[in-house]
Amino acid sequence: GLSDLYLTKCQRPFIDLIPNITFDQIRSAVEKNGCNINLLKANEITIELLDLALKTYGRALQHFKEQDRTYERCVIAVSQDGTSIVFVPRVLINLELCKIAVVQNGACINDVIAFIPEHVRNEYYTLAVTSNPYALQYIPDDCITESMCCIAVEMRETTTLRRRLSENRLYHPVHCVLDFIPERFLSNRIYRKYLLYNSYIAELPRQLKNKDFLVEILRNNIDVFGKILNEFIDRDMCLFVVKSRNKAAIGRIPSSFIYHSLFFILYDALDIAYDLWEQESMDELKIMCESNKEISKFVGYLYMIRNRSPQAVPDIFKTNKVMMLLHENIPFEMIDDNKYKTLERCISACMGYGGS
């Protein structure tokens, strides 16, 4: 049935979305997504389900009775999620478990430091920062070294990492790694290393606001473009940003640098360029579309992204590709043509995403 299809197709199914669920379906859901263990009543939880949950959800360890939290289960839990070490019985915590936790998520340094002898703590501090740069905030100031700071600023703050930091209450939007580096280490070298990989910084230091430095950083980290003052931006910078196909960076191009010849570069960028075309003449755009089929597809896609409605796309731009892309990006309930109701969209709708 549909429930079994959902369990088969979905990578992280949730049992509360399945009506009249059977034990076999619960088992399948818990095996794929251990978090489901939190949705079960106490009398529904078995050792078998807990062991399945532990493989994908280390914090399931908290649901085991104290006597069932064996060392082997604790290793599995901590290896999957270092923060689950807080549920390990104190008598089982040793240096091996501490190391596993810190390597999995440096945030755990705050939970395990009391179990680590002083003569090896610096080694564990370094492991923590290597795993999670925000672990710096939990390391005593006099123990932070320049080497640790370099490791922290060279780590790219990916979406996944930032989400993990947020879930563990280590990350707050107003902060970046630089906020936890002691002032004695905040040199131009540290800023340079950080900006080569990241752009989460409120403002560039005054001493770094020079053209040569900004061009160097931009060629290594396009995301920093939004931090560059307009007085330093020139035509070549804008062309470089457009060719990068980075939607966020393109959206920050000053209007004074948007000119007609950019269209032929933006053509390859598809949806990332739509904000720039408010200044273009519709008559001129139509002439270009009539003379070039590919440009017609491109402009149709811009209409689609802008309006997210099939009715808003002029007939001249309604190619099969544009309409398919449109229906992949609009709410499920807005799709009135069954040929666009794919299996994936139907499953997503049943899961509660993109409409019903």
Side-chain angles (χ1 to χ4, degrees), residues 140-159:
D141 185 276
D142 59 347
C143 294
I144 297 177
T145 65
E146 185 175 15
S147 174
M148 290 179 195
C149 296
C150 287
I151 291 171
V153 297
E154 287 177 352
M155 182 174 293
R156 185 175 295 279
E157 296 181 37
T158 62
T159 302

Side-chain angles (χ1 to χ4, degrees), residues 133 151-159 161-162 194-200 220-223:
I151 291 171
V153 297
E154 287 177 352
M155 182 174 293
R156 185 175 295 279
E157 296 181 37
T158 62
T159 302
L161 173 62
R162 291 168 73 79
Y194 179 77
L195 290 169
L196 284 173
Y197 297 92
N198 302 285
S199 60
Y200 302 106
N220 287 277
N221 179 13
I222 195 69
D223 292 329

Side-chain angles (χ1 to χ4, degrees), residues 268-280:
D268 285 326
L270 293 179
D271 58 308
I272 64 176
Y274 67 87
D275 278 328
L276 305 183
W277 299 111
E278 294 177 352
Q279 302 179 38
E280 291 289 350

Side-chain angles (χ1 to χ4, degrees), residues 257-324:
F257 287 98
I258 299 174
Y259 47 91
H260 185 74
S261 60
L262 267 181
F263 180 90
F264 296 100
I265 300 171
L266 289 166
Y267 150 68
D268 285 326
L270 293 179
D271 58 308
I272 64 176
Y274 67 87
D275 278 328
L276 305 183
W277 299 111
E278 294 177 352
Q279 302 179 38
E280 291 289 350
S281 153
M282 273 307 302
D283 290 337
E284 186 177 5
L285 210 51
K286 286 181 179 178
I287 292 172
M288 295 171 68
C289 290
E290 290 169 355
S291 62
N292 189 311
K293 190 174 182 180
E294 291 302 311
I295 291 180
S296 174
K297 291 181 181 179
F298 169 62
V299 177
Y301 191 53
L302 301 188
Y303 265 95
M304 178 272 286
I305 292 294
R306 165 64 72 193
N307 297 287
R308 301 177 72 83
S309 167
Q311 291 74 28
V313 181
D315 290 340
I316 188 176
F317 306 136
K318 286 184 177 177
T319 65
N320 288 334
K321 180 178 180 181
V322 166
M323 298 307 289
M324 183 59 74

Side-chain angles (χ1 to χ4, degrees), residues 74 92 99 127 166 192 200 240 246 255 301 318 332 355:
C74 291
L92 297 181
K99 189 169 187 176
L127 285 173
S166 178
R192 184 182 299 270
Y200 302 106
F240 178 79
N246 183 294
S255 58
Y301 191 53
K318 286 184 177 177
F332 185 79

